[in-house]
Amino acid sequence: MNGLNSKVALITGAGQGVGQGIAYALAAEGVKIAVVGRTLSKLEDTCAEIRRRGGQAEAFLCDVMVKQDIDRCVEQVAKHFGSLNILINNAQVVPLGRLLEVSDEAFTEGIDSGPLATLRMMRACYPYLKGDGAIVNFASSAAMRWDASGYGPYAAVKEAIRALTRAAACEWGTDNIRVNTVAPHAMSPGMEGWIAAQPAEAAAFFKTIPLGRVGDCERDIGRAIVFLVGSDAGYLTGATIPLDGGQAYWG
């Protein structure tokens, strides 16, 4: 019903967390999954679970901070599956810290793995997505925090991705490529690490979520992505969708 059966999706950072949850959700709709990331064992675990559930998946090694890796990976995915219809730009190094503390190297990693990788991956996939493509990029409600202390570099990186998303939606709409951004809260390994490192801040943060919980990677984030890349959202592009239980006020 959503027009996704037999389509091909490339998902970065799909070896764990949100990327893995999205892979499971899309595979359940008959989408063939290119499971992309840096750690082969994690990618193979995701593929094995998708296959156990009756889906199709293949692992592809790629460091999104390396342009040559991106170009090679996209070409391999398109060759292996014969097409490429969906791009999920999920992988990201997170440069957290206060402005006087975050190193240039950490901020550069955030840029290289975030907006630069997103741009490069969109460019590499563009020829294959023309005609009936969908892209989902990742932002963060860090840019909307009531207290941005310690989150400025991360928010800056993610806001750059939102700007690129909007530009791609405007420039590629005539090619029938839809491009949207999501800003999720999900119980990923990164979230679990933050909770362990900042338990008091995390407890206070969770109290500000109207639905009272952090999202599940597959049920809450993955299923929303199914809608965004499917035919039911065929008139939606250039938007930022907060998948955060109502926590952030995007205005």
Side-chain angles (χ1 to χ4, degrees):
M1 294 296 292
N2 55 24
L4 291 175
N5 188 49
S6 296
K7 288 195 172 182
V8 177
L10 188 163
I11 306 173
T12 68
Q16 62 183 11
V18 173
Q20 185 181 70
I22 294 169
Y24 292 162
L26 286 175
E29 300 298 312
V31 178
K32 302 171 186 177
I33 309 297
V35 181
V36 175
R38 295 186 295 182
T39 306
L40 184 59
S41 60
K42 292 182 179 180
L43 305 180
E44 292 290 6
D45 286 346
T46 299
C47 289
E49 177 61 17
I50 290 173
R51 292 168 187 150
R52 187 190 69 79
R53 298 182 184 191
Q56 298 183 56
E58 192 69 31
F60 296 87
L61 282 172
C62 178
D63 183 343
V64 298
M65 291 190 286
V66 179
K67 182 181 184 299
Q68 292 83 356
D69 268 24
I70 288 175
D71 293 339
R72 173 188 49 75
C73 176
V74 171
E75 183 178 351
Q76 288 178 341
V77 169
K79 182 177 180 180
H80 178 82
F81 288 109
S83 61
L84 177 55
N85 314 102
I86 298 163
L87 169 62
I88 311 295
N89 276 312
N90 165 66
Q92 171 79 63
V93 175
V94 180
L96 293 178
R98 291 177 173 268
L99 299 181
L100 294 178
E101 299 168 353
V102 172
S103 67
D104 289 357
E105 291 75 18
F107 188 47
T108 298
E109 278 195 337
I111 293 171
D112 288 350
S113 65
L116 184 55
T118 295
L119 177 59
R120 285 171 168 169
M121 189 65 81
M122 289 196 299
R123 284 172 169 170
C125 292
Y126 168 79
Y128 305 101
L129 298 175
K130 290 175 67 175
D132 186 24
I135 300 172
V136 178
N137 297 325
F138 278 68
S140 171
S141 60
M144 304 293 133
R145 285 181 63 86
W146 58 96
D147 181 359
S149 301
Y151 293 90
Y154 179 50
V157 164
K158 287 301 192 180
E159 285 296 276
I161 291 175
R162 285 218 302 153
L164 292 171
T165 299
R166 180 65 186 169
C170 294
E171 294 176 11
W172 298 348
T174 54
D175 297 309
N176 202 29
I177 300 173
R178 296 186 300 107
V179 193
N180 291 294
T181 307
V182 295
H185 288 331
M187 195 54 74
S188 64
M191 176 67 80
E192 291 173 351
W194 177 69
I195 293 171
Q198 306 288 344
E201 183 179 356
F205 179 77
F206 297 151
K207 290 180 181 178
T208 69
I209 300 176
L211 291 183
R213 62 183 178 84
V214 177
D216 178 81
C217 292
E218 180 178 356
R219 293 191 306 272
D220 296 315
I221 312 305
R223 295 305 307 173
I225 298 297
V226 167
F227 167 73
L228 284 177
V229 301
S231 57
D232 288 343
Y235 198 52
L236 180 63
T237 194
T240 296
I241 310 299
L243 302 176
D244 61 1
Q247 190 268 343
Y249 178 64
W250 289 79

